[in-house]
Amino acid sequence: MKTLSIDVRRAEPHDAQAISEVHRLAWQHTYAGIIPHRALTQMIERRGENWWRKATRGPATLLVLDVAGTVAGYATLGLNRARALPQEGEIYELYLRPEYQGIGLGRMLFGEARRLLKSLGCKGLVVWCLEENENASQFYRGHGGIDFCEGMESFDHRQLKKIGFIWN
């Protein structure tokens, strides 16, 4: 019998290419038909391997979900950027390769990100997602997130509503 190792760990510079691939695949899968094609393509292209290598050393914490040596997902987290909200922590991004979605690995990565923020002394948490990203909205509601506030994001002159989910 084989044992499958699944681990959430801090990203290292050597993970940059794999994170870039997860980012590209997840964003194409998630946002095609929501974010205008040109804007989406530009956003993906800006975040190549070098961008992610720098991100492993940046101010935000970057976690990877490692499944038997394959980077299956990532999360970025740090201090809340929306100063009007009292929650101190924020998960900026949480994405999985499409083939790893829907089997509980997102829950694992989300749980580890929350535990890390709590261990750093952050009281409360906020996560933003586009309203049209129904899978993310369902995920965060299903994990106890309260649909608390709204905002707008502009993508190639198209305004999209985003939802702020909070945990206290």
Side-chain angles (χ1 to χ4, degrees):
M1 179 182 340
K2 289 187 176 184
T3 302
L4 179 67
S5 66
I6 302 174
D7 188 33
V8 176
R9 59 177 174 78
R10 286 188 187 248
E12 299 290 335
H14 71 268
D15 295 315
Q17 195 229 343
I19 298 168
S20 177
E21 182 73 2
V22 171
H23 174 260
R24 182 182 64 77
L25 294 169
W27 280 45
Q28 286 172 338
H29 177 78
T30 301
Y31 298 119
I34 296 175
I35 295 175
H37 178 74
R38 184 175 61 182
L40 178 58
T41 300
Q42 289 171 345
M43 291 168 71
I44 291 169
E45 287 174 357
R46 270 197 306 266
R47 289 189 174 190
E49 183 177 346
N50 288 334
W51 192 95
W52 287 105
R53 187 170 292 107
K54 289 176 188 169
T56 64
R57 296 184 287 265
T61 299
L62 178 54
L63 299 176
V64 293
L65 174 69
D66 186 312
V67 178
T70 297
V71 173
Y74 72 91
T76 59
L77 51 128
L79 296 176
N80 174 14
R81 298 170 291 183
R83 296 293 170 217
L85 298 174
Q87 290 72 24
E88 295 175 349
E90 180 176 354
I91 297 176
Y92 310 129
E93 296 181 86
L94 192 146
Y95 292 99
L96 300 177
R97 294 174 70 100
E99 64 268 28
Y100 288 94
Q101 295 177 12
I103 56 174
L105 295 174
R107 179 176 356 125
M108 182 180 183
L109 183 56
F110 181 68
E112 289 299 318
R114 287 183 69 184
R115 276 188 280 285
L116 179 57
L117 285 169
K118 190 172 184 178
S119 77
L120 296 173
C122 290
K123 294 179 182 139
L125 166 68
V126 63
V127 177
W128 294 90
C129 75
L130 292 179
E131 182 179 53
E132 291 184 49
N133 184 351
E134 293 176 13
N135 288 337
S137 295
Q138 289 175 357
F139 177 85
Y140 294 125
R141 282 187 187 100
H143 288 84
I146 299 166
D147 179 341
F148 184 75
C149 51
E150 296 177 351
M152 298 298 287
E153 288 283 333
S154 180
F155 300 96
D156 208 17
H157 308 294
R158 181 166 182 226
Q159 295 290 325
L160 296 175
K161 189 189 298 186
K162 62 182 180 179
I163 302 170
F165 289 93
I166 61 166
W167 291 259
N168 290 315

